[in-house]
Every structure is written in C-alpha cells, then in structure tokens.
Amino acid sequence: MQDSILVTGVSSGIGLTTAKYLLDRGFHVYGSVRGDAGAGELAEKPGFTALQFDVRDRDAIRAGIQRILADGNRLVGLVNNAGVAITGPVETVSEVEYRRQFEVNVFGLVAVCQEALPLLHATKEAGFEPRIVNIGSVSGYLTSPFTTIYSASKFAVEALTDGLRRELLPFGIDVISVAPGPVKTPIWKKGREQKEAFQNNRYSEMLDKLDPYTEAAEADGVEPEVVAAAIYEALTAKDPQPAVLVMKKGWMAKLLKLTPKRFQDRFFVKRLAENRRY
Ligand SMILES: NC(=O)c1ccc[n+]([C@@H]2O[C@H](COP(=O)([O-])OP(=O)(O)OC[C@H]3O[C@@H](n4cnc5c(N)ncnc54)[C@H](OP(=O)(O)O)[C@@H]3O)[C@@H](O)[C@H]2O)c1
C-alpha cells in the first residue's frame, strides 16, 4: 500500500508541476485530466495514474475515487487545484462565463471534497494524518478590477477552507489554503484570450491597458515550482500554517488588505494605469 495524493487539474501549470514534485518525493499521484491527451508527459511516469474527470461532473469524480479505492492505495492528501480565471467587467461578462467561474472553482471543489472525504476519513482511522490543500489566490485576499468574478470565487475558496477545517477538526483532517500571487502558467494567456466582455461597450478602451497589465504581472510571477514546494510543505510539515500566501512581496498584499477600501481603490487604479500589479 502506497501513500497517494489526488491533485485536480494536472494538464498544465501548477497542477502539472505539483504532480511531478510529489512523484519525485515518493508519493503515488492521482491526477485529474480532461480528454485523452491531458496527462501528457505525466502518463509515462511511474507512480502516476490519470483520472478522467471534469470537476463539474459528479459521476466522473466518483468513478475516479472508486479507482483509488480499487487500487488499495492510502489517500493521504487532496490538492484542489483545478481552476479557471474569467476576465471581464461584472457589467458585461456573460452569464455562461460567470456561472462557469463558480461551477469550476467553487462547486467543483466542494464536489471533489465530498467524494474524496470518505477515503480521507478512512486514512485517519488507520492512524495517518490526511490533509486537504485548496489552491486559493491573492485574489481571494484582494480584488483587482476586471477579474472580480474570479476574485469572488477565490474569496469563496478561502471561506470554504476555513469552514471545512473547523468542521473536520474533530475528525483530525487538516484543511489548508495555499494562495499564490502571480505564477508563470498558461492561465494568463487563457485570460487574455477572453475579450468578448470588453467588445463594443464602454469598457472597450480598458483592454489596451489590461493586456500590458496582465503581461507585466505574469512576467514578474514566480515559477510554478515555488508553489509546488509550498503545497508539499502544506501536505507534509509537522505543524503547517492554515493559510499560506506564495508571492513576491506578499507582505505588501497583506498590508494593503489592512488599509481603508478607498485607499485600495486608488492603489488599483494607479497600478492599472502603470501596468503594475500589486
Ligand atoms: N497562475 C497564477 O498566477 C495563479 C495565481 C493564483 C492562483 N492560481 C490558481 O492555481 C490553480 C491552477 O492554475 P494554473 O495557473 O496552473 O492554470 P492552468 O495552467 O490553466 O491550469 C488549470 C488546470 O485546471 C484544469 N481545469 C480547468 N477547468 C477544469 C474543469 N472544469 N474540470 C477539471 N479541471 C479543470 C485545467 O485542465 P484543462 O487543461 O483540461 O482545461 C488545468 O489542468 C487555479 O486554481 C488558479 O486559480 C493561479
């Protein structure tokens, strides 16, 4: 029987890097992918098993969990990483997109937790220390304009993390948020491709500012390995912090959160004008 960790969304970015990081450290990794090509280079790695599911598909999640059960591996960790970042003004973002934001980042996370928890309880009952790590974001601490819906979903992830941790405290399952600032992953390019909400409306001219702003944020981001290391720490440290912010100048984001909202408003407007994210 091997210690295993389920990581959702391992086709690219933080999920892919985390899967490799955990494999290198001896864990069996179950990684969720969508589509046949999803596992890519991971498919060849010993100790990796791809589970095919979209976090919006409860039956498919359940089938993935059944596979872990059938293999007989001990599930010691769940990393809720799968996510999308919808860009656009709240006034114009389509209903399909704002619902997708919450379906994936929030309700998908709840569904995966619900399906995986029986295995995590069994792990605890067998004398081990199972953990859930939710991938939040600095956008779950502070809200930048035009990623407001994304930010709302990540604020929800923080609330779910705190509430779930308190609910699971008596059962000995720890729940931790690892919240990155900007990280160099494909999520930024996917965001820049979402232009519909800015087209033919009063926000159109914002696009000229927004693209350089997100490009600058991505260029200044950390490598995904830095986040993978923080996730590993959250999964394995003796006494982990319940909320970890992983970003350059994280102190600045924490300080900004303490300032008056009107000050924050001016800060974000100025930063947007200067193509500088916090
Ligand atoms: N990059 C950053 O700067 C940053 C900062 C803070 C937080 N984060 C968070 O980090 C997490 C990973 O993002 P990333 O930056 O690594 O982006 P990414 O490279 O775009 O990876 C996102 C992963 O989520 C998967 N996914 C998307 N929708 C899904 C669905 N409905 N069901 C299952 N899987 C789905 C994607 O799979 P497909 O390939 O099948 O779409 C992909 O594997 C997200 O939760 C994101 O919000 C990222």
Side-chain angles (χ1 to χ4, degrees):
M1 182 180 277
Q2 214 186 341
D3 281 356
S4 66
I5 296 183
L6 167 57
V7 183
T8 62
V10 296
S11 68
S12 63
I14 294 168
L16 172 61
T17 307
T18 300
K20 288 195 268 192
Y21 200 93
L22 295 172
L23 285 168
D24 288 347
R25 280 151 189 81
F27 287 103
H28 188 100
V29 175
Y30 291 92
S32 86
V33 293
R34 303 186 299 162
D36 294 337
E41 56 179 298
L42 284 174
E44 307 303 321
K45 293 209 178 265
F48 177 80
T49 305
L51 303 179
Q52 294 276 341
F53 65 77
D54 188 306
V55 296
R56 295 167 295 182
D57 182 343
R58 174 72 73 148
D59 291 342
I61 299 169
R62 199 166 288 155
I65 299 295
Q66 284 305 318
R67 168 69 200 269
I68 302 174
L69 200 58
D71 284 355
N73 284 327
R74 181 187 302 119
L75 189 67
V76 296
L78 162 63
V79 181
N80 283 304
N81 165 76
V84 292
I86 303 302
T87 305
V90 175
E91 187 175 348
T92 55
V93 68
S94 74
E95 185 172 352
V96 169
E97 290 294 83
Y98 70 67
R99 286 191 183 280
R100 183 164 73 96
Q101 184 67 87
F102 273 72
E103 291 292 345
V104 177
N105 291 18
V106 182
F107 306 137
L109 181 149
V110 173
V112 175
C113 285
Q114 287 187 343
E115 295 301 328
L117 268 165
L119 266 63
L120 297 173
H121 282 294
T123 298
K124 179 65 194 174
E125 283 151 18
F128 298 87
E129 302 292 326
R131 292 184 188 165
I132 296 175
V133 175
N134 293 331
I135 307 306
S137 169
V138 66
S139 298
Y141 290 48
L142 291 160
T143 307
S144 289
F146 309 114
T147 46
T148 307
I149 303 286
Y150 173 68
S151 212
S153 78
K154 291 298 187 180
F155 269 75
V157 169
E158 291 304 317
L160 281 165
T161 304
D162 287 344
L164 195 55
R165 187 175 56 255
R166 289 159 198 167
E167 291 175 16
L168 292 173
L169 210 62
F171 303 104
I173 300 173
D174 205 0
V175 188
I176 295 162
S177 153
V178 171
V183 189
K184 290 177 177 151
T185 74
I187 207 168
W188 295 91
K189 183 170 175 287
K190 294 176 194 173
R192 283 193 290 275
E193 285 164 0
Q194 299 163 26
K195 299 201 185 294
E196 309 85 60
F198 293 96
Q199 270 152 8
N200 306 318
N201 59 42
R202 66 180 80 236
Y203 297 97
S204 298
E205 66 185 41
M206 293 308 305
L207 256 190
D208 297 337
K209 288 187 180 176
L210 206 59
D211 278 354
Y213 176 72
T214 58
E215 277 161 18
E218 182 182 4
D220 197 35
V222 301
E223 297 295 334
E225 284 75 13
V226 177
V227 184
I231 294 169
Y232 175 75
E233 175 81 6
L235 287 165
T236 58
K238 192 168 181 305
D239 193 11
Q241 292 294 319
V244 185
L245 186 61
V246 187
M247 72 182 287
K248 292 178 187 168
K249 297 188 194 155
W251 61 269
M252 196 168 143
K254 286 181 183 164
L255 193 64
L256 184 60
K257 191 171 166 55
L258 299 175
T259 62
K261 298 273 185 186
R262 298 285 183 205
F263 177 86
Q264 294 179 27
D265 296 347
R266 288 193 294 278
F267 179 90
F268 281 112
V269 169
K270 189 163 178 283
R271 286 268 159 159
L272 192 54
E274 295 171 351
N275 299 336
R276 289 197 302 147
R277 219 170 149 99
Y278 49 84

